[in-house]
Amino acid sequence: TMSKLVGFTVVLVLAALGVAIASLVFNILIFNQINVSDPAVDPVDPNVDPAGCPTLDKVSDEAGWKEAANRLLDTVDLSVDPCEDFYQFTCGKYLQDTDLQGQSRKGTYDEAQYEINLALANYFDDKDTKLKGETEKYEKTFYDSCVADALNGDSEEVTKQKWADLTKDLNTHLGFPLMGVKKVPQSRAEIFTTMGKMERLYTGGPFITSFVTADFADNNTNALYLNQPALHFARDYFVKPQFISKLQDYADNITDLILAYQKNTDVNKMDHQFCPVFNGAAEKSELECAQMVAQWAVNMERSIAMASWPDTELRNYKQQYNPFDALSGVDFFFQQLYLGNYVRGLMDMGPDEEISGFNVVLSQPTYFSALDGQFDANHISEDDYVDYLALHFLMDNAGEYGIKIPSVVNPAKNKNRNGKRRDTEPKFHRYVTRRGYGARRISRKPLNSKGIAVNENDAIRTDCIDTLIDYMPFGPGYTYVKNRDDREDVKADVKIMTENIITQFSEMLNSLDWIDPDSLTRAHAKSTSLQKNYLWPEFFGDFKSTKDVDAHNARYKFPANFDKNYWTALKNAKFALQTTEQFDIVKAGGDRSNFLQSPATVNAWYQPERNSITFPFGILNPPYYDLSYPQAYSYAGQGGTAGHELTHGYDDEGTQFDEVGRLAECEFTHCSILDDKSRSGFVDMAQCVVQQYNSGCCPLKKGNVRCTNGDTTQGENIADIGGQQAAYRAYNQYMADQRKTELRLPGLEQYTPQQIFWMTYGVSWCMKITDDRLVRQLMTDPHAPSSCRVNQVMQDIPQFGQDFKCKRGVSPMYPNDADRCKVWVGY
């Protein structure tokens, strides 16, 4: 019996051993399969260090770790389930504690830009500051002029003088028939010349706008692109009936502008050609006349909007590339548009001078055909066109010059609940920020310091710096970088991070099953040849000599008799911006290292026509990055930004350009680095994202516009999803290469480094915003609102759900594979 028992026991042991071996083999196979399909998802167990010891009790006491933890703790709401609503989890406390103070939005982005502006303001206000070179002297003079103007107040005397300053320039170039001042241009051709001159001098363009960037066909040269104008609002505001009330508010603002101008410029009576006497009725009052003029102006802009291409049609660059090497060729197609005269005014050319060494590109030909038809109509006189240009000149410049425009139409808007004067946001927004730069019309959101600054003086100072950043990008950009002692260390760290992300994105490309070998080769060529502009441009030099930066900013010079008048400073900077960053470079050779905007900007961008990514130093600050913070934090913030901009090279716009930024493999209807089969696979991927954002109806639950437009935001959404995946993989691979796991954050010890990665990403998008501002964003911004950029992105990255141990197919943040979009990955 004993021998039978022993024998039976041996059999059991052998059987158990066999099951264990089989189980081990099975697990090895599964483990290998997982690593084949997704090699960088989880190279190290977040809870165990390489030696196999638990890390839960390993908490860093370093200052950088503590600061990073405090930043997260200031925003996160730990009572929310991250698997249900990750945006509310990461931003709930921020949304609850943030007071908009009468402003329409405030976010962690705005706070980062504010800190940069405040540092620059403190530098220029410090009596011990020793200015270096002509660039900083100009900055200081402009800044002092701006601050002094704001502190000068808005008394009746001051206001009248400001209107007089604008009137002098207006009457010199245009005239103002509505106000009894005869038009300066005496013919249709002269009107177009004047339009070009006004845009060169003051940046505005009510009928046409232009920019200079690389020639899409040959980026060894630059080209001048003529475009439809940047409207005051999104096109849909003008063409869809549900926004009639918005247009009425717009007309009321123009009415207030007209009446303020009349009151302060000694115009006794407006020319009432716009205010006819109907059926023998009495002559219209000044208010009624101003209202009719304003409504006429809005209807004029509405007709321009109807002729303009919608945003969905501005994503095909082949259709927008219509080059001409002679101005006579541009004029040949139109009866009433003198585009040659417009270009000559823009470029400060002689009356019959021809272009040489660059192309003029007509970007939206059907818009110009419609504009030609409008100018051919007899119901609009040349006086009307001059009045329209004059109104837009005032709209673009009055508020920027600090002129307060009280509401006559609705006086209640002038005071807040306490009966004090309401300090509202500008009624009309800066043209240069509406227009943007380059093929993708990359723009910079102006900072409104009033909701962030601790006092009015700091609000004034930081707003003045913001204006300087807009109009002299490489002045404050230079000063900011020069004053950062850690600049070289930060640059070295960001270079390593970016290369790691590019490597991981390339691995993601290799996993695609819908791309053919030739298309894959071209896709890899884009990342291999990518121009990477890190932190500041090369002409900043060694920060010891100012020779090169002063040469770049040579156009920024005040007149010898400059009296510190802010309008003089403002128009001087506008002209210098247009000539330095736009029209002076059109004849220069192509430059893929063109930074486009200021290094002091909290932003980053991809330029498809140069195949370049640019990371200004300004973005290398919390909530995106800090050299002393954990790598999980910086990879999630700046790494995610790098991945985002890299992925733009592969979105529906980026794939139209090759590895050096030329239109690629063009056919009759489109250009693409992808062959037809691969392009079909790409379209399927993109349409998944479009449909997901459309059907998800994020974020509004009320009003006329509720959902993000998946079509117009698809490029940014694809970049968010693809970029954050690349950053996550790069972080994990980097830590695996280091053979270590990062220490935990104090106060957040329960969260792994991987979870901190996702939390940092969520926190970077915290923003409190009014419904009206949110509607405007949905209508005008190619980016989805913040809550969508967090929750929708998390749904498409399964590693998030795995790291937070969400229930697959049950938790909203962790859907089944069939319910998510696979963006630039094959699994």
Side-chain angles (χ1 to χ4, degrees):
T1 304
M2 181 63 70
S3 63
K4 289 181 180 180
L5 183 60
V6 171
F8 181 70
T9 302
V10 171
V11 170
L12 284 177
V13 170
L14 290 173
L17 185 59
V19 169
I21 293 172
S23 177
L24 179 61
V25 171
F26 177 77
N27 279 294
I28 290 172
L29 290 173
I30 292 296
F31 178 78
N32 286 339
Q33 182 60 37
I34 290 173
N35 279 285
V36 167
S37 63
D38 192 6
V41 165
D42 193 12
V44 292
D45 186 331
N47 298 306
V48 179
D49 69 19
C53 302
T55 61
L56 189 59
D57 59 342
K58 291 188 176 180
V59 180
S60 174
D61 61 356
E62 292 184 17
W65 256 252
K66 292 179 180 178
E67 185 177 319
N70 288 336
R71 285 188 174 274
L72 295 177
L73 288 167
D74 283 344
T75 67
V76 299
D77 183 352
L78 301 181
S79 68
V80 176
D81 184 350
C83 298
E84 291 295 316
D85 186 341
F86 191 59
Y87 182 71
Q88 193 63 33
F89 171 75
T90 54
C91 298
K93 190 172 186 295
Y94 180 89
L95 297 175
Q96 180 179 346
D97 295 347
T98 298
D99 181 1
L100 289 179
Q101 297 178 295
Q103 306 307 305
S104 63
R105 57 161 266 179
K106 186 189 295 185
T108 48
Y109 153 85
D110 303 282
E111 292 166 353
Q113 186 66 63
Y114 174 79
E115 292 299 327
I116 290 173
N117 290 17
L118 185 62
L120 286 166
N122 290 339
Y123 173 79
F124 287 117
D125 281 332
D126 189 340
K127 294 179 180 179
D128 294 329
T129 293
K130 295 180 180 179
L131 302 174
K132 293 190 64 176
E134 297 303 313
T135 293
E136 288 200 340
K137 290 177 183 177
Y138 184 97
E139 292 177 72
K140 169 68 172 171
T141 302
F142 182 98
Y143 169 75
D144 286 347
S145 174
C146 177
V147 171
D149 181 78
L151 295 176
N152 200 26
D154 55 358
S155 66
E156 183 175 348
E157 181 182 359
V158 169
T159 300
K160 279 186 173 291
Q161 182 57 54
K162 289 189 173 186
W163 281 117
D165 290 340
L166 294 184
T167 299
K168 181 180 179 181
D169 283 78
L170 178 61
N171 292 347
T172 298
H173 298 291
L174 273 175
F176 203 174
L178 173 66
M179 298 296 174
V181 181
K182 292 182 178 180
K183 66 180 184 294
V184 174
Q186 294 300 304
S187 66
R188 187 69 54 82
E190 288 184 11
I191 288 176
F192 275 84
T193 302
T194 300
M195 285 166 54
K197 287 181 178 178
M198 294 292 283
E199 185 174 345
R200 181 182 181 89
L201 292 172
Y202 305 105
T203 73
F207 291 110
I208 309 169
T209 193
S210 62
F211 61 79
V212 174
T213 191
D215 191 304
F216 293 172
D218 177 14
N219 65 1
N220 290 316
T221 61
N222 292 316
L224 174 66
Y225 293 79
L226 307 189
N227 297 266
Q228 62 195 36
L231 304 167
H232 269 86
F233 301 108
R235 180 179 181 274
D236 282 357
Y237 273 104
F238 292 96
V239 302
K240 290 186 176 180
Q242 63 262 44
F243 299 108
I244 288 176
S245 62
K246 297 293 183 185
L247 291 187
Q248 185 58 59
D249 289 343
Y250 183 32
D252 289 347
N253 287 340
I254 297 175
T255 300
D256 293 334
L257 174 76
I258 293 169
L259 292 173
Y261 183 86
Q262 182 199 20
K263 174 185 176 182
N264 289 281
T265 54
D266 300 322
V267 175
N268 294 324
K269 196 173 185 179
M270 285 184 283
D271 187 331
H272 281 207
Q273 62 172 308
F274 298 112
C275 311
V277 178
F278 292 107
N279 301 320
E283 190 176 68
K284 303 294 180 184
S285 69
E286 298 298 339
L287 173 58
E288 291 173 306
C289 180
Q291 287 176 320
M292 294 190 73
V293 173
Q295 291 165 10
W296 167 82
V298 171
N299 281 329
M300 174 77 85
E301 191 167 358
R302 192 178 186 190
S303 69
I304 292 171
M306 287 179 166
S308 299
W309 291 18
D311 288 345
T312 51
E313 300 302 317
L314 293 175
R315 307 182 76 84
N316 186 320
Y317 290 99
K318 184 181 189 303
Q319 293 178 357
Q320 296 181 76
Y321 185 69
N322 305 283
F324 296 86
D325 59 6
L327 296 179
S328 56
V330 183
D331 284 335
F332 177 79
F333 293 96
F334 307 106
Q335 298 297 317
Q336 297 295 329
L337 300 187
Y338 295 84
L339 297 180
N341 284 44
Y342 166 77
V343 171
R344 291 184 182 100
L346 199 66
M347 302 296 297
D348 197 24
M349 298 165 61
D352 300 313
E353 189 177 348
E354 263 293 357
I355 59 173
S356 175
F358 65 95
N359 285 327
V360 171
V361 178
L362 210 60
S363 294
Q364 300 90 25
T366 55
Y367 165 76
F368 288 97
S369 294
L371 187 64
D372 187 43
Q374 181 167 302
F375 270 86
D376 199 26
N378 294 323
H379 67 282
I380 302 177
S381 69
E382 290 178 359
D383 276 0
D384 292 346
Y385 284 118
V386 170
D387 279 329
Y388 185 76
L389 293 170
L391 284 173
H392 278 263
F393 171 83
L394 296 176
M395 290 158 65
D396 289 338
N397 292 289
E400 194 167 31
Y401 187 21
I403 298 175
K404 301 290 192 302
I405 303 172
S407 179
V408 176
V409 179
N410 188 358
K413 291 182 177 180
N414 297 324
K415 296 183 179 181
N416 61 24
R417 295 175 184 174
N418 300 321
K420 296 181 180 180
R421 190 178 66 189
R422 185 190 299 272
D423 195 8
T424 59
E425 294 183 352
K427 293 183 178 182
F428 309 106
H429 295 279
R430 201 173 287 171
Y431 190 88
V432 69
T433 58
R434 301 200 317 268
R435 178 194 66 187
Y437 292 94
R440 293 179 59 231
R441 297 164 182 81
I442 297 164
S443 61
R444 176 182 175 273
K445 290 182 175 66
L447 174 69
N448 191 330
S449 299
K450 293 181 178 63
I452 304 174
V454 296
N455 56 57
E456 184 178 359
N457 190 50
D458 280 354
I460 289 171
R461 296 164 65 229
T462 51
D463 281 343
C464 284
I465 291 293
D466 213 60
T467 300
L468 188 57
I469 290 173
D470 271 339
Y471 291 124
M472 191 188 189
F474 299 103
Y478 172 81
T479 300
Y480 176 70
V481 177
K482 181 199 73 174
N483 291 341
R484 286 287 298 265
D485 294 334
D486 61 347
R487 57 180 177 267
E488 295 295 345
D489 292 336
V490 171
K491 177 183 274 192
D493 188 49
V494 171
K495 281 183 175 181
I496 294 171
M497 181 187 298
T498 303
E499 292 300 332
N500 290 342
I501 289 165
I502 292 172
T503 298
Q504 289 304 318
F505 188 82
S506 295
E507 291 299 319
M508 289 164 60
L509 293 178
N510 291 335
S511 73
L512 299 174
D513 58 6
W514 49 258
I515 190 168
D516 84 305
D518 289 341
S519 298
L520 181 61
T521 298
R522 287 191 289 271
H524 281 308
K526 288 205 70 166
S527 60
T528 302
S529 303
L530 182 70
Q531 170 69 34
K532 297 174 280 288
N533 299 324
Y534 291 112
L535 281 68
W536 64 85
E538 289 186 7
F539 64 80
F540 280 10
D542 59 5
F543 298 96
K544 295 177 182 177
S545 168
T546 64
K547 178 182 177 182
D548 290 340
V549 71
D550 287 342
H552 180 87
N553 292 318
R555 290 277 194 174
Y556 290 87
K557 286 184 178 180
F558 290 113
N561 59 346
F562 179 54
D563 59 359
K564 304 296 177 69
N565 174 273
Y566 182 51
W567 171 241
T568 302
L570 197 56
K571 65 182 182 180
N572 180 279
K574 288 185 176 189
F575 170 75
L577 171 75
Q578 291 288 76
T579 51
T580 301
E581 307 302 338
Q582 293 289 313
F583 307 124
D584 278 359
I585 70 171
V586 72
K587 293 184 179 181
D591 179 10
R592 294 180 63 203
S593 66
N594 187 316
F595 242 68
L596 207 65
Q597 295 191 66
S598 176
T601 296
V602 181
N603 200 358
W605 47 87
Y606 173 79
Q607 300 177 63
E609 72 272 31
R610 294 184 171 105
N611 189 33
S612 68
I613 50 175
T614 302
F615 306 123
F617 208 150
I619 195 72
L620 277 308
N621 287 288
Y624 308 101
Y625 174 91
D626 191 286
L627 189 60
S628 68
Y629 287 10
Q631 289 288 341
Y633 189 108
S634 293
Y635 265 86
Q638 168 56 23
T641 299
H644 175 102
E645 299 307 331
L646 171 65
T647 309
H648 270 312
Y650 300 88
D651 64 17
D652 62 309
E653 295 179 276
T655 51
Q656 298 174 48
F657 294 83
D658 68 12
E659 71 274 10
V660 295
R662 298 168 301 203
L663 286 174
E665 306 293 327
C666 290
E667 298 180 11
F668 176 62
T669 57
H670 65 276
C671 305
S672 181
I673 62 170
L674 307 174
D675 73 343
D676 287 344
K677 181 177 178 296
S678 301
R679 188 167 176 269
S680 177
F682 170 83
V683 170
D684 287 345
M685 178 193 77
Q687 279 305 116
C688 177
V689 176
V690 170
Q691 184 61 30
Q692 184 185 72
Y693 277 73
N694 282 340
S695 62
C697 205
C698 174
L700 283 183
K701 307 300 181 187
K702 61 181 180 179
N704 292 324
V705 181
R706 301 186 180 191
C707 308
T708 297
N709 186 323
D711 287 298
T712 58
T713 61
Q714 63 173 296
E716 298 297 335
N717 299 334
I718 289 171
D720 280 343
I721 300 166
Q724 209 60 30
Q725 287 182 96
Y728 179 81
R729 294 164 59 89
Y731 168 68
N732 279 330
Q733 191 61 61
Y734 175 78
M735 296 313 301
D737 292 343
Q738 301 293 313
R739 300 304 301 160
K740 66 180 182 180
T741 299
E742 287 196 289
L743 302 181
R744 306 247 175 159
L745 293 179
L748 293 167
E749 297 91 344
Q750 67 272 41
Y751 295 103
T752 69
Q754 277 72 12
Q755 290 171 327
I756 293 297
F757 174 95
W758 300 117
M759 290 166 67
T760 302
Y761 173 75
V763 166
S764 71
W765 292 117
C766 292
M767 179 176 292
K768 191 164 186 176
I769 188 169
T770 64
D771 284 353
D772 282 347
R773 180 63 178 263
L774 188 54
V775 168
R776 192 167 82 199
Q777 178 179 353
L778 290 169
M779 299 292 293
T780 63
D781 202 319
H783 301 85
S786 295
S787 60
C788 314
R789 298 188 76 173
V790 176
N791 285 349
Q792 296 283 118
V793 171
M794 295 303 99
Q795 292 173 29
D796 287 329
I797 305 179
Q799 290 78 22
F800 165 82
Q802 295 164 11
D803 287 338
F804 276 94
K805 298 182 172 29
C806 303
K807 294 181 180 179
R808 191 164 206 164
V810 177
S811 301
M813 299 294 103
Y814 192 24
N816 291 317
D817 272 350
D819 298 321
R820 71 177 178 91
C821 296
K822 299 176 182 178
V823 177
W824 289 116
V825 290
Y827 38 80

